[in-house]
Amino acid sequence: MKTPEPRKGMPSPKLTKADFTERYLSQFRDPAFAPMSEALDRIASVAWEAYRDGRKSPVTQKAGPGYADPEYELAEDWINARAMVDAAQARFEDGKGPLRVLLINGSSRSEHTCPGEMSKSFRLVSSAQRVLEKAGIDTRVLDLSRLASEYGRDIHPCKACFSTAAALCHWPCSCYPNYSLGQVHDWMNDIYPMWVEAHGVFIVTPVNWYQVSSPMKLMMDRLVCADGGNPDPTLTQGKDAKLAKAEELKGWDYPRHLQGRVFSVVVHGDVEGAENVRRSVSDWLKFMKFTPAGPDAEIDRYIGYWEPYATSHEALDKDRDMQAEVRIAAEQLARALKARRAGELVTTYEGLESPRQK
């Protein structure tokens, strides 16, 4: 099949120098920066040149052995990210190392920003963590609320390279950082190794407008490269769309970089959408060849159904059954991981009677 030309025709987002400079300097509105105005003008001028010239990755080095084009200049940021992923994969494959679970708080709410109160998701993650640690599982918490509360903590949006051609989506993602556009501080280069080293994943997310939370969706989209992404950016000479199309049409094998993990999912809402969101998250994980930890490991529940938001934590306090279900989902995850490592097939629900019957 002839390689198609990439389609073009969308309007340019390019800024004028005046618009760029105004936008760049807007981050220094605090009057405390006024004495530095001349220095900031000089910095803005350098930033404009980087933007104008499209210097996405100004620090590079030759790819070296093991790549299709050893002479290609790869971004040092990507090389470092790839090294962290490779080290994490080695930890995952070490049969003598500890079993690891990544616990994910998908809520953006915390007392450290505008809401002024912790999230119920964080409470449920903490409950699951206690169960897993008691079972001897090494746990790590990924608290996505830090996107809203921590300086310089970002997950930039997926640019949908995969939709142009699978080979254009690099593993790990090479779209960021993009210094010319100021798209830095991307958290995903730290998050990828967390997923890679984990034998199991326990996700808790609230329902936000019939969907997962904003931080969850950003992370999910950016994990597309973990399922079929290209581990060798030199194949496509970076982001050459036509080369990527040609590589895919040769016969792409869609490598599943995270397959073989086990998961539990807890979704909670207050009015609508809990079941749909739980199915969405579970289906996403299953598509990446993750395995549910057990029959009680995928939960969708309502906390304080149609009750005031002001008393939602009190509603969770009273819902002892849901608290028990979260602990059971964590216990089933621990049992499933131990059974898998031992090469056994066990019924992970024995002795874990559900608090709710038909």
Side-chain angles (χ1 to χ4, degrees):
M1 179 179 179
K2 182 181 178 181
T3 303
E5 292 290 336
R7 303 294 180 95
K8 310 284 186 179
M10 296 175 70
S12 172
K14 204 72 175 178
L15 300 177
T16 65
K17 183 177 182 180
D19 288 340
F20 174 88
T21 302
E22 180 182 6
R23 189 173 296 182
Y24 182 84
L25 291 176
S26 66
Q27 62 189 305
F28 305 107
R29 293 292 191 211
D30 190 323
F33 288 106
M36 307 296 293
S37 60
E38 291 185 6
L40 288 171
D41 286 340
R42 291 195 297 271
I43 292 171
S45 179
V46 174
W48 159 254
E49 292 172 0
Y51 170 77
R52 179 196 62 198
D53 299 339
R55 297 202 295 267
K56 172 189 173 184
S57 304
V59 182
T60 63
Q61 66 183 63
K62 293 186 185 300
Y67 289 93
D69 182 357
E71 296 298 308
Y72 184 79
E73 293 286 336
L74 284 174
E76 286 191 1
D77 293 295
W78 187 87
I79 291 172
N80 293 335
R82 174 63 186 272
M84 290 194 297
V85 164
D86 289 345
Q89 183 67 27
R91 292 192 293 274
F92 171 78
E93 294 173 357
D94 182 5
K96 296 182 179 179
L99 288 167
R100 297 181 178 87
V101 166
L102 177 63
L103 292 136
I104 299 175
N105 168 30
S107 175
S108 54
R109 181 161 68 122
S110 90
E111 73 264 35
H112 302 298
T113 185
C114 305
E117 183 175 49
M118 73 188 307
S119 68
K120 296 183 292 296
S121 295
F122 185 82
R123 289 180 58 186
L124 297 174
V125 162
S126 299
S127 176
Q129 184 177 21
R130 289 190 289 272
V131 172
L132 289 162
E133 289 181 345
K134 185 178 180 181
I137 306 295
D138 189 53
T139 64
R140 185 171 189 176
V141 175
L142 173 56
D143 183 2
L144 293 178
S145 75
R146 289 183 173 272
L147 285 178
S149 62
E150 183 178 327
Y151 176 80
R153 183 61 77 197
D154 297 309
I155 295 178
H156 295 296
C158 177
K159 296 179 180 178
C161 298
F162 212 108
S163 296
T164 293
L168 198 63
C169 182
H170 300 150
W171 168 250
C173 178
S174 68
C175 293
Y176 304 102
N178 185 324
Y179 292 98
S180 67
L181 294 180
Q183 295 169 338
V184 296
H185 303 143
D186 187 64
W187 201 5
M188 288 305 298
N189 279 346
D190 297 316
I191 290 175
Y192 290 132
M194 296 182 194
W195 279 78
V196 172
E197 73 176 4
H199 301 94
V201 176
F202 193 110
I203 295 176
V204 182
T205 183
V207 177
N208 289 173
W209 283 120
Y210 290 84
Q211 305 292 335
V212 296
S213 67
S214 302
M216 272 289 297
K217 190 62 170 67
L218 284 166
M219 179 188 68
M220 290 170 70
D221 285 353
R222 292 290 303 286
L223 279 163
V224 65
C225 59
D227 197 68
N230 174 13
D232 185 354
T234 73
L235 277 175
T236 56
Q237 296 291 288
K239 291 291 184 176
D240 187 312
K242 188 169 183 178
L243 281 179
K245 288 176 180 288
E247 286 296 330
E248 183 176 15
L249 292 175
K250 288 177 185 177
W252 194 250
D253 62 356
Y254 301 94
R256 297 186 180 275
H257 302 290
L258 290 178
Q259 68 179 357
R261 276 74 176 173
V262 184
F263 75 88
S264 292
V265 167
V266 176
V267 174
H268 62 93
D270 49 57
V271 176
E272 292 284 358
E275 182 177 0
N276 290 341
V277 171
R278 190 265 303 163
R279 289 183 184 276
S280 174
V281 175
S282 292
D283 287 351
W284 167 63
L285 291 168
K286 291 172 186 174
F287 189 85
M288 293 196 294
K289 301 303 182 185
F290 281 52
T291 302
D296 304 301
E298 300 168 79
I299 303 170
D300 54 85
R301 296 289 181 262
Y302 292 104
I303 301 172
Y305 186 69
W306 281 111
E307 295 178 5
Y309 292 100
T311 57
S312 64
H313 274 286
E314 285 69 22
L316 178 56
D317 291 339
K318 295 174 184 176
D319 196 340
R320 302 295 179 86
D321 288 343
M322 182 183 179
Q323 294 177 42
E325 288 172 322
V326 171
R327 292 193 295 270
I328 288 172
E331 179 63 32
Q332 288 192 358
L333 181 55
R335 293 186 184 186
L337 291 174
K338 291 177 180 179
R340 173 166 289 199
R341 173 162 287 187
E344 299 172 351
L345 180 64
V346 299
T347 50
T348 58
Y349 53 84
E350 284 185 351
L352 297 174
E353 191 62 45
S354 173
R356 304 180 205 255
Q357 300 300 318
K358 281 188 177 180

